[in-house]
Amino acid sequence: MLKEKILKYLDVQTKTIDLDHLGNQFTAGGIANKLKAKRNTVSLYLNQLVNEHKLIKIRTRPVHFVHRARFEKDNFKLKTSVYQSVAQIEKENDQKDLLKSFTQINPSLKESIERVRAAILYPNGGLPLLITGESGTGKSYLIGLIAKFCRMHKLIKKDAPFITVNCAQYADNPELLTSNLFGYKKGAFTGADEDHPGAFLEADGGILFLDEVHRLGPKGQEKLFTYLDSGLIYPVGETKKGKRVSVRLCFATTEDLETGFLTTFMRRIPVKITLPSLSQRSKEERLNLVYTLLNNEQKKIAKPLLVSVQVLDMLANYQPAGNIGDLKNAVKLTIAQANAEQKDKDNISLTAYNLPANVLIKSKRESYLTPAKAVKITNETAIDDLIARNFPEKKIFLHSLEQLLTIYEQNGSNLNKCESKLKQVVYQLFDTMLFEKDNSKQIPLLSYVINSVKRLFDQLKNAYQLKISGNAIYAISYYLFERQKIQWGTADVKNKPALQKLKKDVQRRYSDVYLYVTKLISLIKGNLDIELNEADYIFLTIYLNKLEIITKTGLGKAIVISHGYATAGSIVNVVNRLLGVHTLDAFDMPINVSTQQIANQIIDYSENNDITHGLIILVDMGSLKEIETLFPRQINAPILLMNNVSTLLALTVGESILKKRSFREISKLAKETSKLDIKLTYPEKHKQKAILTTCYSGIGTATHVARLLERCLPDNKKIKIIPYDYQALKDYHKVQVVKKMYDIIGIIGTENPEIDGLDFIYLEKILSDKGTAKLRNWLGLVFTGKEIDTISNNLVKNFSLEQTINMVTILDVPKVIENITICIQELERRFSLSLSNQKKFTLYVHVSYLIERLIRKEGNNINLEFEKEFIKRHMNDLDKIKAAFSVISDNYNVKIPTSELIYVDQIIFNSTEKA
């Protein structure tokens, strides 16, 4: 049942879900395409499953559906089944994401940490992870975070072991390291008085961290990748029976990966990241580390710290060889020195005079902005508050938002009363972004944002008939440029209820502009990778409403849908260029596309474009009635459908849209434009000479024979070789059409269609004296004697039985001939007759092609009524043929259809009954 298939499909997809990047596989359209079902039927079942609390519905655009039980099993419990956004779901996760917090402090590691997260969350125990970097860059600290993350997210049990082995301690004794890792059996070596479990068994069900893993010798690495391949460990002294353990493996090294490890070992570690040294990290990131270390130490001494600008500046520019480890010691020494001097004071002030000598000497001073005032750190200070000091932009945005919410609440949450005041706050915010920020050092990035915004607005302009000024483009670009520097969400907002209410009021008050802002934010996320939130909806909507971006043109929309590569695109491009305005959009569809898929494209287009004034759909072929039935419920606008689209018809429609003609007027003009002038002509003189090829078994074999003949002709082919269906040649009118088109000089085939005035050569007799002489006479009409000799030599080479069968099948030709020979002999025995060489040749060719068609599951075109009548009259013969063909069906594992048995019967007995 489709409903169960949908649930099962979403269960599989949800196993690897990423809420930040929900794909098409979670939408109604994507599911319908995957399951080859109608979209409206899939939508019906999806909503039923949501009501049954089996799926989660996320009201994004488009709407996404997630398997609830699978999500809760792998992530966290949910309170309901319908959510307005992904952010609303994430709010229900009360477990802090330690890895995300780590990237807030170390933004340059965001990509690396995402790979770490992917390795941790990988099914069946995660993926092995190798962290490289200089000493002191935080490798062990990150592994510790990973262990906490696994426990918090229930990837391992809370009491699961976390075993650390420092391989450097065994640098001079790799055998001892191996035995301590994998364990050993009693008596395995001198001193092994009893069995020893080893680190792997001790870490079973948890995490095993091998630090300085490059100290593990080649033999130890081989034992490691044996475990990675099989999940089994072999203690020293045990070679037959391995022990199965489940361990998450993490490795760390300070060495070069190219020289310190076996290639076979490195191939088995899919995730490798490098932690950069302090000197490779940004100024802001180093300051984040300083804030973090100061905050941690303050909690230990339980006294408020007052840290001067100079101390922060010097510590942030200190780049010791020992990296974070040395920086941590420098912070400790600074606080210790100040604490000793101020032990009787309630607050401890840190000045440059408290810094260790190394910091004063090795601090690489740079000219960049640091906080203007000393920083006070207390027991209540959160690291997020300290990091936020690096980003004055965040204060600007938050201050503007707090102003909006305060004004809104002071006016009784009535937007009409305070609309002008809210606009002033928003306009001031954009003016600040445009005129008061110095971005001269970041021109390349700013230019990239501006060019990207231009492209996004072009898309909106064409889709929604907007009037976009240069001022709007630059204002939004500068806004986004500053916005991408900071991370903040509703958690930073003090008055969340007011924010939610104001957003709803803004959506109602400026509904048209809000719709376009929604589209714009969706495009921004996909093209600029900038995450925006509810406050941004408010700011952008109020600002763009000021610019009056909506153009009330009242124009309809039109699309051209054609099969093939760039067909629709070419038509639309010509029309839009001729009219000088973007009036039509194009959809190029694969030739095998279904009507439902076309309908889905139309629905998606209607959801992403303003079609309130109507939609004209021009298609190249197909049933308009069938297309129309698939989407009327989803599209609430008048629709005009036309097929047999041409450039002229598309131009007529484009002009009509610009002139705002009614759909009735457009229909009338389209009918006049689409009238066909038809005239059939045949060549009267100089008709090209042609030879027809035919085969009783169908056009397929006749085509292969035609190719064989063409290969025999010289490059300047003066005769056209035309394959023709045998049954078609029995039709007088069809033969007359061919005669009018070509000067037919003869027919070559497996059976003579007996057409008056046309000579015939049996295919198997083409190399006989009589057949060769007749063919030479035909060829003499257009070729020279030397050319005919060449053709004759090519015929001998190409028209042996083996070569002929080789042309009609990709199968093993000698084997095919052997099996068909047995089949023919059995036919002769069962019918007590002796078949002529002509009929044998025909059967060889027909049956070889038949085998290939059956293997490829290709059908034939025999008339079903004829088949029924034939079976009634010749059932006994067909049974004998079927029995004789057992050698074919058994050897090639195919079932011989009755229609094919009828063809064989007609070949054997020269039947002329019309199929």
Side-chain angles (χ1 to χ4, degrees):
M1 186 178 174
L2 179 58
K3 188 175 179 180
E4 293 172 354
K5 286 183 179 179
I6 293 171
L7 193 62
K8 187 175 181 181
Y9 169 77
L10 282 174
D11 185 13
V12 174
Q13 297 303 317
T14 306
K15 287 180 181 179
T16 55
I17 192 172
D18 180 356
L19 285 175
D20 293 330
H21 302 92
L22 287 174
N24 192 44
Q25 67 270 32
F26 295 102
T27 66
I31 297 167
N33 285 339
K34 185 67 178 178
L35 300 181
K36 295 180 173 58
K38 290 186 177 181
R39 179 172 173 155
N40 48 6
T41 306
V42 169
S43 295
L44 174 66
Y45 285 138
L46 285 169
N47 285 298
Q48 285 181 7
L49 289 166
V50 171
N51 293 333
E52 295 168 8
H53 306 294
K54 293 179 180 178
L55 296 183
I56 307 162
K57 183 176 184 178
I58 310 172
R59 294 184 183 275
T60 46
R61 290 182 68 87
V63 175
H64 292 83
F65 298 85
V66 177
H67 194 284
R68 181 167 183 169
R70 173 59 60 184
F71 181 90
E72 290 183 336
K73 180 180 178 182
D74 296 342
N75 298 279
F76 49 86
K77 292 291 182 181
L78 296 168
K79 297 176 183 177
T80 184
S81 296
V82 180
Y83 293 87
Q84 300 303 315
S85 66
V86 169
Q88 195 177 20
I89 294 177
E90 290 176 336
K91 287 178 185 177
E92 296 193 8
N93 183 11
D94 56 1
Q95 297 176 344
K96 189 176 180 182
D97 192 330
L98 296 173
L99 295 179
K100 187 170 284 187
S101 299
F102 185 75
T103 58
Q104 286 180 331
I105 299 170
N106 305 277
S108 67
L109 298 177
K110 184 176 181 180
E111 183 179 347
S112 295
I113 297 304
E114 285 305 313
R115 293 170 60 202
V116 169
R117 183 193 299 276
I120 296 169
L121 297 176
Y122 198 82
N124 301 320
L127 297 174
L129 170 68
L130 174 61
I131 303 174
T132 64
E134 295 178 7
S135 179
T137 50
K139 299 185 293 295
S140 298
Y141 176 76
L142 178 55
I143 298 295
L145 279 186
I146 290 171
K148 291 179 183 177
F149 181 91
C150 289
R151 288 194 175 92
M152 290 177 69
H153 291 266
K154 299 180 181 178
L155 300 174
I156 59 176
K157 294 180 179 179
K158 286 187 177 181
D159 59 349
F162 175 35
I163 306 298
T164 299
V165 176
N166 190 335
C167 300
Q169 296 175 352
Y170 303 88
D172 299 326
N173 197 339
E175 290 81 8
L176 179 59
L177 173 58
T178 301
S179 63
N180 282 339
L181 279 177
F182 299 98
Y184 52 81
K185 301 290 290 182
K186 180 180 178 181
F189 50 82
T190 303
D193 299 327
E194 58 184 13
D195 289 351
H196 178 68
F200 264 91
L201 274 177
E202 290 173 1
D204 192 16
I207 297 172
L208 176 59
F209 171 37
L210 302 187
D211 199 5
E212 302 296 345
V213 70
H214 59 275
R215 298 289 188 177
L216 190 63
K219 288 185 179 179
Q221 291 180 38
E222 288 175 0
K223 290 178 78 71
L224 260 182
F225 69 66
T226 297
Y227 168 72
L228 292 172
D229 287 343
S230 65
L232 300 173
I233 61 165
Y234 291 85
V236 177
E238 175 63 73
T239 57
K240 295 182 180 179
K241 189 176 181 181
K243 293 184 177 181
R244 185 165 298 280
V245 294
S246 177
V247 171
R248 289 175 176 264
L249 282 174
C250 297
F251 308 109
T253 181
T254 55
E255 294 297 304
D256 179 22
L257 300 183
E258 300 295 327
T259 58
F261 299 93
L262 296 175
T263 304
T264 48
F265 174 60
M266 293 307 297
R267 281 205 306 263
R268 287 164 170 82
I269 305 177
V271 181
K272 310 175 188 72
I273 68 164
T274 300
L275 297 185
S277 63
L278 278 180
S279 61
Q280 294 172 312
R281 302 193 185 191
S282 68
K283 297 167 288 187
E284 291 81 9
E285 197 164 318
R286 294 197 299 269
L287 189 55
N288 286 346
L289 287 169
V290 171
Y291 282 138
T292 304
L293 295 171
L294 287 168
N295 199 45
N296 291 343
E297 291 303 315
Q298 188 280 326
K299 300 297 185 283
K300 294 178 183 177
I301 64 172
K303 282 186 178 183
L305 297 178
L306 195 65
V307 189
S308 73
V309 174
Q310 289 75 20
V311 169
L312 292 171
D313 194 20
M314 297 288 280
L315 288 172
N317 287 289
Y318 178 45
Q319 298 175 18
N323 292 294
I324 298 173
D326 279 0
L327 179 61
K328 185 176 181 179
N329 289 333
V331 170
K332 285 178 177 288
L333 286 172
T334 302
I335 295 175
Q337 177 71 22
N339 185 51
E341 294 175 359
Q342 307 167 45
K343 58 183 179 179
D344 296 329
K345 294 184 177 180
D346 295 333
N347 298 332
I348 299 176
S349 297
L350 303 184
T351 66
Y353 300 102
N354 303 123
L355 292 169
N358 276 350
V359 176
L360 296 170
I361 296 170
K362 295 183 179 180
S363 181
K364 184 180 179 182
R365 300 303 300 272
E366 295 178 9
S367 57
Y368 67 92
L369 294 174
T370 55
K373 296 180 179 179
V375 175
K376 188 173 185 178
I377 304 175
T378 68
N379 293 333
E380 288 74 38
T381 303
I383 186 61
D384 291 348
D385 297 329
L386 293 172
I387 292 174
R389 297 177 66 89
N390 278 351
F391 302 103
E393 296 86 0
K394 184 171 182 178
K395 282 190 173 182
I396 296 171
F397 281 101
L398 281 173
H399 177 68
S400 298
L401 181 59
E402 292 298 337
Q403 278 187 290
L404 284 181
L405 298 180
T406 301
I407 294 170
Y408 181 63
E409 287 211 302
Q410 286 175 348
N411 287 272
S413 299
N414 188 328
L415 183 57
N416 293 328
K417 289 183 178 180
C418 57
E419 185 176 7
S420 60
K421 292 182 179 179
L422 296 184
K423 287 180 179 179
Q424 289 176 9
V425 174
V426 173
Y427 300 161
Q428 179 60 47
L429 171 64
F430 276 84
D431 286 346
T432 302
M433 298 295 115
L434 272 167
F435 305 116
E436 296 182 19
K437 298 292 295 181
D438 180 13
N439 295 308
S440 57
K441 295 180 180 179
Q442 295 176 294
I443 293 298
L445 180 56
L446 180 58
S447 298
Y448 168 75
V449 174
I450 292 171
N451 290 330
S452 298
V453 171
K454 282 181 180 177
R455 289 196 302 271
L456 301 186
F457 270 119
D458 281 342
Q459 293 182 47
L460 289 174
K461 182 179 179 181
N462 294 330
Y464 293 101
Q465 305 169 16
L466 304 184
K467 181 176 66 179
I468 309 296
S469 68
N471 288 338
I473 292 171
Y474 280 98
I476 300 302
S477 298
Y478 276 75
Y479 178 92
L480 294 174
F481 178 74
E482 299 300 334
R483 183 67 178 80
Q484 56 86 26
K485 297 178 183 179
I486 60 174
Q487 291 183 353
W488 67 287
T490 54
D492 297 291
V493 182
K494 297 175 182 177
N495 195 341
K496 296 184 184 67
L499 174 64
Q500 296 291 339
K501 194 170 188 311
L502 177 58
K503 183 190 172 189
K504 289 180 181 178
D505 279 354
V506 167
Q507 182 178 0
R508 282 193 293 266
R509 179 72 177 82
Y510 315 110
S511 57
D512 288 344
V513 178
Y514 189 90
L515 171 66
Y516 308 134
V517 168
T518 301
K519 297 293 182 183
L520 178 63
I521 287 177
S522 176
L523 292 171
I524 288 168
K525 181 177 180 181
N527 291 270
L528 285 168
D529 199 25
I530 300 174
E531 292 285 347
L532 300 179
N533 59 36
E534 293 167 315
D536 297 298
Y537 279 85
I538 297 171
F539 288 139
L540 292 171
T541 301
I542 293 175
Y543 187 76
L544 287 176
N545 183 72
K546 166 195 176 185
L547 300 180
E548 298 180 350
I549 62 171
I550 302 172
T551 305
K552 301 294 184 181
T553 62
L555 297 179
K557 303 291 288 185
I559 56 176
V560 177
I561 302 176
S562 291
H563 296 77
Y565 174 74
T567 308
S570 298
I571 293 173
V572 166
N573 184 48
V574 170
V575 171
N576 288 341
R577 288 180 65 181
L578 287 174
L579 296 176
V581 182
H582 186 99
T583 54
L584 285 83
D585 290 300
F587 288 93
D588 291 299
M589 310 293 286
I591 194 67
N592 60 346
V593 71
S594 68
T595 309
Q596 179 64 59
Q597 288 172 303
I598 294 175
N600 290 345
Q601 287 275 18
I602 296 169
I603 293 169
D604 289 340
Y605 181 84
S606 70
E607 291 175 350
N608 292 285
N609 289 270
D610 181 9
I611 62 166
T612 53
H613 298 288
L615 175 64
I616 302 174
I617 304 168
L618 298 93
V619 297
D620 57 347
M621 59 185 180
S623 168
L624 299 182
K625 186 176 180 181
E626 183 181 357
I627 294 174
E628 183 187 12
T629 60
L630 295 174
F631 56 72
R633 293 181 182 177
Q634 291 92 335
I635 299 179
N636 297 314
I639 298 170
L640 179 60
L641 284 151
M642 304 180 195
N643 63 3
N644 301 323
V645 64
S646 64
T647 304
L648 180 58
L649 177 59
L651 183 60
T652 301
V653 169
E655 284 181 319
S656 298
I657 288 174
L658 293 177
K659 292 179 180 180
K660 297 186 179 181
R661 291 188 176 119
S662 69
F663 275 16
R664 288 187 181 277
E665 292 174 301
I666 296 174
S667 301
K668 185 178 178 182
L669 283 171
K671 286 179 181 177
E672 293 173 0
T673 302
S674 301
K675 286 181 180 177
L676 298 177
D677 294 325
I678 301 173
K679 185 178 180 181
L680 178 61
T681 63
Y682 291 106
E684 295 295 333
K685 297 180 181 179
H686 309 297
K687 288 191 286 189
Q688 186 176 7
K689 296 189 182 299
I691 294 175
L692 304 184
T693 62
T694 188
C695 183
Y696 198 87
S697 60
I699 189 66
T701 307
T703 301
H704 287 303
V705 173
R707 290 176 186 166
L708 269 177
L709 278 172
E710 286 175 349
R711 286 169 57 185
C712 299
L713 299 179
D715 293 335
N716 59 336
K717 298 180 176 65
K718 300 173 184 177
I719 291 181
K720 189 172 182 67
I721 311 297
I722 305 172
Y724 226 85
D725 184 81
Y726 178 81
Q727 300 298 340
L729 289 175
K730 306 293 285 184
D731 186 321
Y732 172 80
H733 296 289
K734 290 183 179 178
V735 172
Q736 294 308 306
V737 171
V738 180
K739 283 184 175 181
K740 286 181 179 180
M741 291 292 295
Y742 300 98
D743 181 7
I744 308 298
I745 59 177
I747 304 173
I748 298 173
T750 59
E751 192 69 36
N752 189 352
E754 298 178 351
I755 299 174
D756 290 339
L758 292 182
D759 210 352
F760 179 81
I761 302 174
Y762 282 103
L763 182 61
E764 74 275 10
K765 293 183 178 180
I766 199 168
L767 299 181
S768 67
D769 291 340
K770 187 175 179 181
T772 301
K774 187 181 288 188
L775 182 60
R776 289 181 73 92
N777 288 336
W778 293 358
L779 299 174
L781 297 173
V782 289
F783 292 110
T784 65
K786 187 175 181 181
E787 287 175 328
I788 293 173
D789 289 339
T790 301
I791 293 170
S792 297
N793 290 333
N794 288 338
L795 284 169
V796 173
K797 182 173 65 176
N798 291 335
F799 269 83
S800 66
L801 175 61
E802 187 168 339
Q803 284 293 329
T804 304
I805 295 178
N806 195 44
M807 273 295 292
V808 302
T809 180
I810 60 171
L811 303 172
D812 181 1
V813 174
K815 186 69 174 176
V816 169
I817 292 175
E818 178 187 340
N819 288 324
I820 298 175
T821 300
I822 296 171
C823 181
I824 291 173
Q825 290 171 349
E826 189 64 18
L827 286 170
E828 288 180 322
R829 186 185 70 79
R830 289 179 180 274
F831 285 103
S832 300
L833 53 77
S834 179
L835 294 171
S836 66
N837 288 337
Q838 169 199 322
K839 290 185 177 179
K840 286 181 180 178
F841 189 92
T842 301
L843 283 171
Y844 276 114
V845 175
H846 172 74
V847 177
S848 60
Y849 185 56
L850 163 65
I851 295 169
E852 177 139 322
R853 283 195 292 112
L854 292 177
I855 290 174
R856 290 178 172 176
K857 297 183 179 178
E858 297 175 5
N860 57 47
N861 57 355
I862 196 167
N863 184 283
L864 293 177
E865 290 298 322
F866 167 78
E867 182 178 333
K868 290 179 182 178
E869 290 299 319
F870 197 97
I871 293 171
K872 287 180 182 178
R873 293 196 299 271
H874 306 288
M875 176 60 80
N876 189 43
D877 286 355
L878 295 178
D879 287 342
K880 290 180 181 180
I881 295 171
K882 184 176 182 180
F885 266 74
S886 61
V887 63
I888 303 298
S889 56
D890 292 346
N891 277 295
Y892 295 99
N893 194 28
V894 294
K895 182 180 179 181
I896 314 294
T898 303
S899 56
E900 301 292 353
L901 301 178
I902 292 173
Y903 277 131
V904 174
D905 186 281
Q906 291 177 315
I907 292 171
I908 296 172
F909 297 106
N910 288 331
S911 172
T912 57
E913 296 179 57
K914 189 173 181 181

